[in-house]
Amino acid sequence: MHPKSFPDLHRVRVAELRAEADAYRLAVAAAPPRGLRTRLGWTLVDVGLRLVATPRTPASASF
């Protein structure tokens, strides 16, 4: 490879990286906030795990 082609390749790669960074910034800005939704989801998971982990006593059947 010719030594003078390295700067050209570098400029192309820099342009690609900047385009990817701009696309990422736009995607993050367009995403809806998930704070409350995430907390509610983890709360439901916690409740479900507590229900599963609770020791259950067999129902006493008197005949």
Side-chain angles (χ1 to χ4, degrees):
M1 188 180 275
H2 197 271
K4 291 186 178 183
S5 63
F6 285 111
D8 293 332
L9 291 174
H10 179 68
R11 276 195 275 304
V12 170
R13 181 65 181 145
V14 166
E16 289 174 354
L17 289 173
R18 286 189 177 149
E20 286 181 30
D22 290 338
Y24 177 76
R25 254 185 251 113
L26 290 173
V28 168
R34 297 185 184 188
L36 180 62
R37 186 176 181 180
T38 302
R39 281 189 289 162
L40 177 63
W42 281 114
T43 302
L44 290 173
V45 168
D46 184 43
V47 169
L49 289 174
R50 287 180 190 212
L51 287 173
V52 170
T54 304
R56 298 187 183 227
T57 57
S60 59
S62 56
F63 291 98

